[in-house]
């Protein structure tokens, strides 16, 4: 008799797991049922800001595989608009509610994949019935926001609350849509994933785009008029608006797991081993934004919600469920984004992370250009490196620049992953031609500067 795999969550981690398991086991050996509470499967949530802005014309372009493809190619029973509301580990079954009809179904499982992703942080002041307040966590969220932007009367003013990746990307998207945009950030700078000196460059670029950035400001509530949001209330006074976008970060979506007795770690994410098995619970696996993982530099558990990790973790889980062997080696926190023409990349530890982890370190900032200085189109680039003292091991890196900057972080990520020292890095054989880099690439310039700082 075939085993039964139940997948909770139909996006990156869940469907990657299902597809990989199917590649290794046919229907006579493994039946697969996937529950997804939304209207879409296997889509790029990271692409939502670019759809909102109009750079990506159609929502369908963000969908990698629709339910029909999963059914036809992988023989996966995908059930959209079904929310799993309970897991019974003793009876080995899940309870799901059909969100359209209200009906309830119970389905048995031999193997369970928990891939519920993350949920947005939503403080009490944001819990309102007023229309015009949006998150952008899912494609359904993006659809609701697009509909609001296109309806009459069209909004003219927007407030984005939170200056992380989603906040800065959505601020740019709304400016491109022609709105007057204010970004409110509780901290001293937007983009807290980089150090303050680098975040200042991001803030300057956003102001140049026309975004009104208000830092050190705490939101206290929302005001409404005629059932629509009318202002964001702050400790520095109200900000009139027609639209509010929440970009306050996310947390692991583990309420269902916790209720079932599955183990959570200090980050709030599910605890899994390197094969993506939930610790101490046979037959239960988890992957994606709902799990915590190991940071390879600090050695600490972290929650880093990115589609890259979700896809890799889902692939690992699916290979193992399918009878193979694979492991997920951890993360180093590599990420890139853009704000208008400014590109931002980061990997490893920030200064505050290195301090918290107990490292002694030096940090340096190097200014360079994306191409040979005499070549047309050369643009400035700032590279920051953090290196352990006295070993010189690279601990973290950040890049901010105007052209061909962000993806240079990949060179630094590979060096970090392989525990290279900044002295090792000065000898890296990187590609050179005037249209692509100076004779001393910005990465090498920064590495040399770090070596000099360690020698002092």
């Amino acid at each position: 008799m075939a085993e039964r795999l139940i997948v909770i969550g139909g996006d990156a981690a869940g469907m990657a797991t299902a597809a990989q398991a199917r590649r290794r086991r046919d229907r006579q050996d493994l039946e697969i049922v996937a529950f997804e509470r939304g209207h879409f499967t296997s889509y790029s949530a990271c692409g939502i800001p670019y759809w909102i802005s109009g750079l990506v014309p159609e929502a369908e372009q963000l969908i990698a595989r629709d339910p029909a493809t999963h059914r036809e190619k992988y023989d996966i029973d995908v059930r959209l608009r079904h929310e799993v509301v309970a897991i019974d580990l003793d009876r080995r079954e899940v309870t799901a509610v059909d969100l359209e009809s209200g009906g309830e179904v119970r389905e048995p499982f031999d193997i369970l994949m928990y891939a519920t992703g993350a949920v947005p942080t939503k403080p009490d002041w944001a819990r309102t019935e007023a229309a015009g307040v949006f998150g952008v966590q899912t494609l359904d969220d993006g659809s609701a926001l697009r509909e609001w932007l296109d309806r009459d009367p069209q909004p003219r003013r927007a407030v984005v609350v939170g200056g992380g990746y989603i906040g800065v990307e959505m601020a740019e998207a709304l400016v491109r849509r022609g709105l007057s945009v204010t970004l409110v950030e509780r901290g001293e700078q937007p983009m807290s994933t980089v150090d303050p000196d680098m975040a200042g460059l991001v803030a300057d670029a956003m102001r140049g785009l026309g975004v009104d950035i208000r830092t050190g400001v705490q939101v206290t509530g929302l005001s409404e008029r005629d059932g629509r949001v009318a202002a964001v209330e702050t400790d520095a006074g109200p900000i009139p608006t027609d639209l509010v976008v929440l970009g306050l970060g996310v947390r692991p979506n583990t309420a269902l797991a916790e209720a079932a007795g599955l183990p959570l770690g200090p980050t709030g994410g599910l605890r899994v081993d390197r094969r993506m098995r939930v610790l101490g619970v046979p037959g239960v696996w988890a992957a994606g934004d709902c799990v915590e993982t190991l940071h390879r530099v600090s050695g600490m558990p972290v929650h880093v919600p990115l589609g890259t990790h979700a896809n890799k973790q889902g692939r690992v889980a699916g290979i193992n469920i399918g009878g193979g062997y694979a492991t997920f080696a951890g993360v180093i926190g590599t990420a890139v984004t853009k704000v208008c023409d400014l590109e931002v990349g980061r990997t490893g530890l920030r200064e505050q992370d290195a301090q918290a982890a107990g490292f002694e370190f030096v940090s340096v900032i190097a200014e360079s250009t994306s191409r040979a200085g005499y070549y047309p189109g050369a643009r400035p680039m700032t590279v920051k490196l953090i290196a352990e003292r006295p070993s010189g091991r690279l601990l973290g890196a950040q890049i901010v620049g105007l052209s061909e900057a962000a993806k240079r972080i990949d060179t630094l990520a590979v060096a970090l992953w392989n525990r290279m020292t900044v002295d090792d890095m000065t000898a890296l054989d990187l590609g050179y031609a005037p249209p692509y880099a100076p004779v001393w690439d910005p990465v090498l310039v920064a590495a040399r500067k770090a070596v000099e700082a360690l020698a002092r």
Side-chain angles (χ1 to χ4, degrees), residues 65-122:
R65 290 195 182 98
D66 60 17
T69 302
H70 286 298
R71 293 186 187 105
E72 294 165 8
K73 185 174 182 179
Y74 297 105
D75 199 7
I76 299 167
D77 180 3
V78 179
R79 304 187 191 178
L80 295 179
R81 301 295 288 150
H82 279 71
E83 181 175 10
V84 175
V85 295
I87 301 169
D88 189 325
L89 293 175
D90 294 327
R91 296 173 62 90
R92 308 293 282 185
E93 70 175 20
V94 300
T95 303
V97 173
D98 184 331
L99 298 177
E100 301 292 348
S101 70
E104 186 176 281
V105 296
R106 294 186 179 183
E107 296 286 355
F109 65 83
D110 300 293
I111 306 165
L112 181 68
M113 162 51 64
Y114 192 98
T116 55
V119 291
T121 300
K122 196 170 186 179

Side-chain angles (χ1 to χ4, degrees), residues 305-448:
L306 284 175
T308 51
H309 306 326
N311 277 284
K312 291 172 188 172
Q313 291 171 350
R315 179 178 182 275
V316 166
I319 289 172
N320 289 316
I321 290 170
Y325 184 87
T327 61
F328 183 74
V331 302
I332 55 175
T334 307
V336 294
T337 191
K338 67 178 284 295
V339 184
C340 52
D341 293 331
L342 193 72
E343 301 178 9
V344 184
R346 56 96 62 213
T347 190
L349 306 181
R350 300 167 297 175
E351 289 183 354
Q352 67 188 68
D353 301 324
Q355 289 171 346
F359 288 107
E360 292 187 26
F361 62 90
V362 299
S363 61
V364 297
I365 289 179
E367 305 287 348
S368 187
T369 55
S370 58
R371 307 174 182 179
Y374 55 81
Y375 193 88
R379 306 298 295 275
M381 184 183 308
T382 303
V383 181
K384 180 172 185 175
L385 300 186
I386 300 169
E388 184 182 27
R389 187 192 292 278
S391 72
R393 177 166 70 107
L394 184 66
L395 298 176
Q398 298 158 36
I399 299 179
V400 176
L402 287 172
S403 176
E404 298 142 11
K407 288 297 283 180
R408 272 186 166 91
I409 203 69
D410 289 342
T411 301
L412 293 160
V414 171
L416 190 66
W417 188 272
N418 289 286
R419 300 177 64 87
M420 292 181 69
T421 68
V422 288
D423 192 36
D424 294 332
M425 290 167 55
T426 62
L428 286 173
D429 188 3
L430 303 183
Y432 161 68
Y436 301 109
V439 67
W440 281 95
D441 189 90
V443 167
L444 302 180
V445 173
R448 288 172 54 189

Side-chain angles (χ1 to χ4, degrees), residues 119-382:
V119 291
T121 300
K122 196 170 186 179
D124 289 340
W125 59 258
R127 302 181 190 281
T128 177
E129 297 299 321
V133 181
F134 299 93
V136 282
Q137 181 69 16
T138 67
L139 197 49
D140 286 298
D141 295 335
S143 296
L145 176 54
R146 273 288 295 247
E147 181 182 339
W148 184 262
L149 288 167
D150 292 338
R151 69 169 54 183
D152 291 324
Q154 290 188 330
R156 296 179 296 106
R157 302 165 299 182
V159 173
V160 177
V161 184
Y165 291 112
I166 288 295
V168 299
E169 290 169 1
M170 284 305 304
E172 178 184 357
L174 294 170
V175 167
R176 289 186 181 276
R177 289 288 299 244
L179 280 74
S180 172
V181 179
T182 300
L183 186 142
V184 179
E185 167 57 45
R186 176 173 62 180
E188 294 306 311
Q189 295 278 14
M191 196 62 72
S192 63
T193 53
V194 298
D195 287 322
D197 45 10
M198 303 293 275
L201 301 176
V202 178
D204 290 343
M206 293 183 71
R207 291 189 179 101
L209 188 65
V211 178
D212 177 11
I213 298 178
R214 305 190 186 184
T215 56
V217 173
Q218 178 71 49
V219 175
T220 57
L222 300 174
S223 297
E224 62 179 273
R225 184 186 309 115
D226 300 326
R228 300 162 63 105
V229 67
V232 174
E233 304 292 338
T234 78
D235 58 3
I239 306 171
T241 190
D242 309 308
L243 165 69
V244 175
V245 174
L246 304 175
L248 296 166
V250 298
R251 55 183 173 80
N253 185 4
T254 51
L256 181 63
E258 187 174 18
L262 299 177
L264 305 183
T267 69
L270 275 161
R271 298 184 65 205
V272 294
D273 65 13
R274 285 164 56 92
R275 298 185 70 190
M276 308 313 299
R277 298 174 294 194
V278 174
L279 294 182
V281 189
V284 180
W285 307 69
D289 294 356
C290 59
V291 307
E292 67 178 25
T293 189
L294 175 73
H295 197 291
R296 289 171 59 96
V297 182
S298 70
M300 302 295 290
V302 290
H303 177 240
V304 183
L306 284 175
T308 51
H309 306 326
N311 277 284
K312 291 172 188 172
Q313 291 171 350
R315 179 178 182 275
V316 166
I319 289 172
N320 289 316
I321 290 170
Y325 184 87
T327 61
F328 183 74
V331 302
I332 55 175
T334 307
V336 294
T337 191
K338 67 178 284 295
V339 184
C340 52
D341 293 331
L342 193 72
E343 301 178 9
V344 184
R346 56 96 62 213
T347 190
L349 306 181
R350 300 167 297 175
E351 289 183 354
Q352 67 188 68
D353 301 324
Q355 289 171 346
F359 288 107
E360 292 187 26
F361 62 90
V362 299
S363 61
V364 297
I365 289 179
E367 305 287 348
S368 187
T369 55
S370 58
R371 307 174 182 179
Y374 55 81
Y375 193 88
R379 306 298 295 275
M381 184 183 308
T382 303

